[in-house]
Amino acid sequence: MSVTITDVANEAGVSKSTVSKVLNHWTTISPATVEKVQAAIERLHYTPNSRAVSFAKGATSNIVYLTNLEKDIAYQNPHMFDIMCGVHHTLSENNYSLTLVNTSEERYSGEKVSEVIPSRSSDGLIIHGSAINKEIANLILDAGFPHIIIGHPGFESRLCWVDTNHALAGEYAAAHMVDCGYTDVAFIGERKTDYISAQRQKGFMAGMLDRGYHIPASHIGNTDSSRQQALSITSDMLSHSTPPQAIVCENNTLALGVVQAISRHNLRIPDDIAVLTFDVYPYSSIIDPQLTIVDINVYDMGVQAGSMMIRKLQNPELLIQSYTTLPVIIQGESTRPLD
């Protein structure tokens, strides 16, 4: 069994905090006590870990990542894990550990935050946007606890957050479509209340309008986020006397339904109708033909969030509200310049 800081404290006849202060070279510890502790360390062949060294500093070298980890969440929100990996990469480079805390089994909203903050089990909180609300925001802000929210919280506050600019991603989609010659374009999105979908739709419509093309209401389809409803709405659009030249899908799940609807109408992509979607995951690689994608490197977003967490710990008064990581167009087989 490995030797612990408690073993050293017992051997030297001092408290754990005294051992930690010796390890951190506190000048307030008497030379005699320092000698006793160092002798105990040598006798026990104790090698201090990073948490023991930081004990006296009131720090843990640990960051809690708060998110929903319910069953099947990996399929519903695969980007979260890429973000998490990026966060872990940055924190580990700075000698911090990352602890996952699951919010899906909370008895009341904010239960986990209420436990983490007073327990002093971490130096800061990184919270996935799906796990934040105004009640949790108030708990964090009232405690003055270091934090970074992954994604815009969806309401105005003094919270620190990082996000990707989804409206800009929508504008990229519009620019690509017009550059290819598609001017009569439909947009299939999620519920009107979904923040990311609404921002992408807003950017897309503004981008089309800036280029002189108005998108009629008949070419906007809001769904319940399911493939089935995307299929149904797309089928209705394609049955009109003037169907769109192209369709922009807010995510891959909706794109599956859109592509199925196009196939059922015996249309070919992109010969008869073009398709563009957002994000590489989770289904873009299995859709035939390979779709053109507006993608955002969410791993890099996690890296940036980790870096900002470190900055926040170094400067607790720092207010961080920032968009990071530009979108890129990944050209597929589902769009091409019109002749």
Side-chain angles (χ1 to χ4, degrees), residues 274-289:
V275 178
L276 176 147
T277 190
F278 294 83
D279 308 323
V280 169
Y281 299 115
Y283 301 119
S284 60
S285 63
I286 65 171
I287 296 176
D288 185 29

Side-chain angles (χ1 to χ4, degrees), residues 16-316:
K16 286 194 296 181
S17 64
T18 297
V19 174
S20 191
K21 289 174 182 178
V22 170
L23 293 171
N24 284 285
H25 310 292
W26 279 44
T27 57
T28 55
I29 306 300
S30 69
T33 300
V34 171
E35 187 176 340
K36 280 200 304 182
V37 171
Q38 289 178 339
I41 289 172
E42 291 177 8
R43 286 195 299 274
L44 298 176
H45 304 290
Y46 172 67
T47 301
N49 59 37
S50 59
R51 292 196 181 188
V53 172
S54 63
F55 181 83
K57 298 177 183 178
T60 65
S61 296
N62 178 54
I63 301 298
V64 162
Y65 193 111
L66 200 70
T67 189
N68 177 359
L69 293 172
E70 66 184 351
K71 188 177 183 295
D72 295 331
I73 196 67
Y75 303 101
Q76 300 168 27
N77 190 5
H79 295 101
M80 180 178 69
F81 294 92
D82 261 356
I83 294 170
M84 199 181 298
C85 290
V87 170
H88 181 269
H89 172 79
T90 299
L91 293 181
S92 63
E93 281 193 335
N94 288 273
N95 299 313
Y96 278 84
S97 60
L98 185 66
T99 300
L100 291 179
V101 172
N102 181 15
T103 63
S104 67
E105 298 177 352
E106 287 186 326
R107 293 168 297 178
Y108 58 89
S109 178
E111 179 182 11
K112 296 302 181 181
V113 169
S114 298
E115 292 173 355
V116 169
I117 292 176
S119 72
R120 298 187 179 181
S121 60
S122 73
D123 298 334
L125 279 168
I126 294 179
I127 305 178
H128 191 268
S130 61
I132 192 70
N133 56 41
K134 291 184 178 180
E135 290 75 20
I136 294 174
N138 289 335
L139 287 172
I140 295 169
L141 294 172
D142 289 346
F145 202 71
H147 65 277
I148 296 290
I149 311 300
I150 302 291
H152 191 288
F155 52 87
E156 294 302 318
S157 76
R158 293 178 289 110
L159 290 171
C160 294
W161 53 263
V162 296
D163 197 6
T164 54
N165 193 328
H166 299 290
L168 181 61
E171 200 277 336
Y172 270 49
H176 176 78
M177 286 306 201
V178 173
D179 287 346
C180 286
Y182 305 113
T183 56
D184 185 9
V185 187
F187 185 95
I188 304 294
E190 297 190 65
R191 295 176 176 86
K192 292 180 180 180
T193 55
D194 182 87
Y195 176 79
I196 293 176
S197 181
Q199 289 297 304
R200 288 175 173 177
Q201 179 181 326
K202 177 182 176 182
F204 166 73
M205 295 184 71
M208 294 297 292
L209 193 60
D210 286 346
R211 291 162 176 80
Y213 304 103
H214 171 71
I215 305 300
S218 61
H219 280 16
I220 300 297
N222 290 107
T223 71
D224 60 2
S225 307
S226 70
R227 173 187 60 82
Q228 292 84 354
Q229 194 163 23
L231 188 158
S232 175
I233 289 175
T234 303
S235 291
D236 289 344
M237 287 184 180
L238 296 177
S239 298
H240 290 171
S241 57
T242 55
Q245 294 175 294
I247 298 177
V248 171
C249 310
E250 192 274 324
N251 63 45
N252 291 186
T253 301
L254 302 180
L256 274 176
V258 169
V259 170
Q260 285 181 314
I262 291 170
S263 176
R264 291 186 184 184
H265 281 256
N266 296 314
L267 299 174
R268 295 168 300 168
I269 302 172
D271 296 340
D272 300 314
I273 186 167
V275 178
L276 176 147
T277 190
F278 294 83
D279 308 323
V280 169
Y281 299 115
Y283 301 119
S284 60
S285 63
I286 65 171
I287 296 176
D288 185 29
Q290 288 285 296
L291 300 184
T292 297
I293 298 166
V294 180
D295 190 43
I296 296 169
N297 186 341
V298 291
Y299 178 90
D300 181 67
M301 181 183 175
V303 168
Q304 300 301 323
S307 297
M308 291 179 184
M309 184 78 255
I310 299 299
R311 289 174 56 200
K312 181 68 176 175
L313 292 172
Q314 294 170 344
N315 181 5

